[in-house]
Each structure stands twice: as structure tokens, then as C-alpha cells.
């Protein structure tokens, strides 16, 4: 029920970025941190049985074998040095290890020469949320007062341009396109020329949803990278690989192939709010050694948020 006072209807408090990430990891929290809390509840010491259960919980949350082993090694080291004995200290030890894993890869985005656009290539297989991510990124930059152009270089899929047009319209930004079947590099060339002429701040480039087995499409992506570099020094300044958090560890094999062919510089993890295995964030960071730039936490235009290792870990353990 909504109460109206002399001063009118009270305004709904907008959720903060931390509120959003906390809400998005609810399922993961139930699958991970709440199980850890149950494990240590009422226990007097850390023993082999507890560590075995802890390993199963971390693997179940898709933290990944390598990160799980590192966390367990760190806990055992702490125990042998008598620095970690109380089960209640386990959570803090795990938090610290997760933070370290997520922070180690951070590399700031490249700088752009004055007057040149910042060029972002968006790559990833079909169905992971590439087009949605592009629309939300455009909205984000537009809200910050920047000028943005979208480039429809996914000319292979009939509906790709139409979908991108819808998002361009929602975000209120122009779209550079050609007819279906056109050379993706030619569309990119047009977009970069237009951006330079109009003093655009960001060019966001959609690419075909390439399966990592389709080598000719990977070669096309390499060609687009060369064109971008030739037209704008240092471009593409970011190559963002979009991964679906709900696919968990399966996304890693795709990601490795894209990293080889496309020179991926950052990751966007979509649908974090739709999985109980949000620990895959850590597995991906550990395996790929590439920074996570953004995470998708919902359907709304402003539900693509900049990734913060501290916020992510804190939200998992927050009351």
C-alpha cells in the first residue's frame, strides 16, 4: 500500500549499485555463502571433514577447481601457522582470497588521442546478450553526456540489424548499417569515418555471434580489428567478450578461443541475476586473466553495472 502525506507520495528510493549486485547474487548466496555459514555453525575447530565439505560447496558454486585449490591451500597454510583456527574466521579468509583473484587482472582501458573516438568491439556467441549489452552500454555513455554511434557489423544474421536498431532507438543514438550480407569491415569503415567527422566519443561495434569453431568468421573478426587500427590509431581500444553467467564453466572454452583470435581486453558477464553459480565470475577471472568490466544484473536499461571485486565479494557475504 502506498501512503500519501501532506507532502505528496514519498519518492521510492533508487537502488544503489551495491543494492543491485546484492540482489543479483541472491541465488549464488544461497548456494555458496549460506552453506558455508551452516557448515561452521556451532563448530569448535576446522578439521579435514569441514575442509572436504567446503571444497564441495565451492565447486558447486562454480568457483572453479584452480581457485578452490588455492583457497584451501591458503586456509591450510593459515592453520599450520596457527593463524587460522576458529571456524568463524573461515569466511574472512575465503573473502580475502576471492578478492585477490578478482583484482589481480585489472588493467585500465587504453587512452584515446584527442578528437578520436573510443572504439569498442563487442564479441561473443549468439544468445549471450550481445545486442542488449550494446544498448545498455550506449545508454550508459549517453547518460554520462557522451556522443555515441552504434555500428551494425553483424551482417550475417537477418534479424541482427533490426534488433540493434531497436536498441539504438531506445538509447537515442545513431546507427550505421548496410544491407544484409554486406562486408562487416566495410560497415565498420563507414562508422569510423562518420564518428571522426562528427567528433563522436564512442563507437560500439556489434559483430556476428561467432561460434569458436567457425574459423572463417574468426578471420573476419581479425580483419575488422586491422581495419579499426588503420582508421583510428590504437583501435579497437576495448574488445569486450560477452559471456552468459548461466552457462557457467561451459563459457570458458568459448572465451579462450575468442581471446586468441580477437585480442579480448575485457569481459561482460550477463544474466548474473539468473544463476545460482555466480562463483563462475571467479573461475573466469582466474582462468582467462582478463578483467571483468561490466556485469548484467537485470532487464532495465541501467542494469549493466561496472564490475567491482569489492562490491561483488561483499554482496556475497552481506547480511
Amino acid at each position: 500500500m502506498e501512503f500519501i502525506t501532506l507532502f505528496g507520495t514519498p519518492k521510492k528510493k533508487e537502488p544503489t549499485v551495491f543494492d543491485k549486485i546484492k540482489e543479483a547474487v541472491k541465488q549464488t548466496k544461497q548456494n555458496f555463502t549460506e552453506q558455508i555459514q551452516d557448515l561452521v555453525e556451532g563448530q569448535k575447530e576446522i578439521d579435514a571433514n569441514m575442509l572436504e565439505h567446503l571444497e564441495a560447496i565451492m565447486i558447486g558454486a562454480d568457483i572453479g577447481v584452480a581457485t578452490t585449490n588455492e583457497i584451501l591451500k591458503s586456509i591450510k597454510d593459515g592453520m599450520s601457522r596457527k593463524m587460522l583456527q576458529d571456524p568463524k574466521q573461515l569466511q574472512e579468509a575465503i573473502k580475502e582470497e576471492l578478492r585477490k583473484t578478482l583484482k589481480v587482472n585489472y588493467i585500465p582501458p587504453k587512452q584515446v588521442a584527442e578528437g578520436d573516438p573510443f572504439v569498442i568491439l563487442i564479441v561473443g556467441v549468439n544468445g549471450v546478450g550481445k545486442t542488449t549489452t550494446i544498448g545498455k552500454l550506449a545508454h550508459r555513455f549517453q547518460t554520462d553526456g557522451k556522443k555515441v554511434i552504434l555500428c551494425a557489423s553483424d551482417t550475417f544474421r537477418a534479424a541482427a540489424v533490426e534488433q540493434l536498431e531497436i536498441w539504438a532507438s531506445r538509447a537515442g543514438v545513431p546507427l550505421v548499417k548496410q544491407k544484409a550480407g554486406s562486408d562487416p569491415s566495410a560497415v565498420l569503415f563507414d562508422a569510423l569515418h562518420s564518428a571522426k567527422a562528427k567528433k563522436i566519443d564512442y563507437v560500439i561495434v556489434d559483430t556476428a555471434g561467432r561460434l569458436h569453431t567457425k574459423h572463417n568468421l574468426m578471420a573476419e573478426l581479425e580483419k575488422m580489428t586491422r581495419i579499426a587500427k588503420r582508421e583510428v590509431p590504437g583501435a579497437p581500444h576495448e574488445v569486450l567478450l560477452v559471456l552468459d553467467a548461466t552457462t557457467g564453466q561451459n563459457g570458458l572454452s568459448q572465451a579462450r578461443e575468442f581471446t586468441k583470435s580477437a585480442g579480448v581486453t575485457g569481459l561482460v558477464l550477463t544474466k548474473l541475476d539468473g544463476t545460482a553459480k555466480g562463483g563462475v565470475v571467479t573461475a573466469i577471472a582466474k582462468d582467462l586473466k582478463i578483467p571483468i568490466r561490466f556485469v548484467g544484473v537485470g532487464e532495465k536499461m541501467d542494469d549493466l553495472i561496472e564490475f567491482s571485486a569489492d562490491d561483488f565479494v561483499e554482496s556475497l557475504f552481506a547480511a
Side-chain angles (χ1 to χ4, degrees), residues 86-298:
D86 187 342
K88 287 174 187 165
Q89 295 174 297
L90 264 183
Q91 283 201 21
E92 278 307 316
I94 294 165
K95 272 169 80 170
E96 195 45 47
E97 287 303 312
L98 291 177
R99 265 197 210 96
K100 277 197 305 204
T101 301
L102 288 167
K103 281 184 169 181
V104 77
N105 303 327
Y106 184 75
I107 305 157
K110 289 181 190 172
Q111 296 298 304
V112 191
E114 196 169 339
D116 280 346
F118 189 96
V119 182
I120 304 173
L121 249 58
I122 306 289
V123 302
V125 299
N126 285 331
V128 293
K130 275 193 300 107
T131 314
T132 307
T133 296
I134 290 167
K136 289 178 178 179
L137 267 180
H139 170 73
R140 183 186 179 91
F141 297 143
Q142 185 91 323
T143 304
D144 286 344
K146 303 296 182 187
K147 291 165 80 177
V148 184
I149 274 183
L150 301 189
C151 171
S153 279
D154 181 357
T155 59
F156 293 100
R157 195 165 58 91
V161 177
E162 286 87 343
Q163 286 173 352
L164 198 60
E165 274 182 310
I166 292 166
W167 279 101
S169 173
R170 282 180 193 165
V173 300
L175 172 72
V176 174
K177 62 175 183 173
Q178 289 184 16
K179 65 179 189 296
S182 300
D183 178 0
S185 295
V187 189
L188 175 58
F189 179 85
D190 286 353
L192 295 177
H193 269 253
S194 178
K196 286 191 286 186
K198 294 173 182 172
K199 301 288 183 221
I200 295 291
D201 299 299
Y202 288 94
V203 178
I204 309 175
V205 187
D206 188 20
T207 64
R210 294 163 169 79
L211 284 169
H212 54 278
T213 50
K214 296 194 175 174
H215 300 296
N216 58 325
L217 292 175
M218 282 297 188
E220 181 58 56
L221 195 52
E222 287 167 7
K223 180 182 170 187
M224 288 173 70
T225 302
R226 290 196 303 273
I227 296 284
K229 212 173 245 82
R230 193 184 71 202
E231 297 306 316
V232 178
H237 304 97
E238 278 271 38
V239 179
L240 294 179
L241 172 61
V242 182
L243 293 171
D244 179 342
T246 63
T247 63
Q249 299 282 331
N250 295 332
L252 278 171
S253 59
Q254 296 168 7
R256 286 186 204 107
E257 290 301 325
F258 274 107
T259 305
K260 280 183 217 160
S261 299
V264 174
T265 59
L267 302 170
V268 180
L269 205 62
T270 62
K271 308 175 195 174
L272 189 61
D273 55 319
T275 180
K277 297 191 170 190
V280 74
V281 171
T282 317
I284 286 167
K286 177 81 180 162
D287 190 285
L288 298 179
K289 307 283 190 288
I290 294 169
I292 297 163
R293 298 287 195 213
F294 299 96
V295 287
V297 295

Side-chain angles (χ1 to χ4, degrees), residues 1-5 8-10:
M1 186 183 288
E2 210 171 57
F3 293 98
I4 299 175
T5 68
T9 307

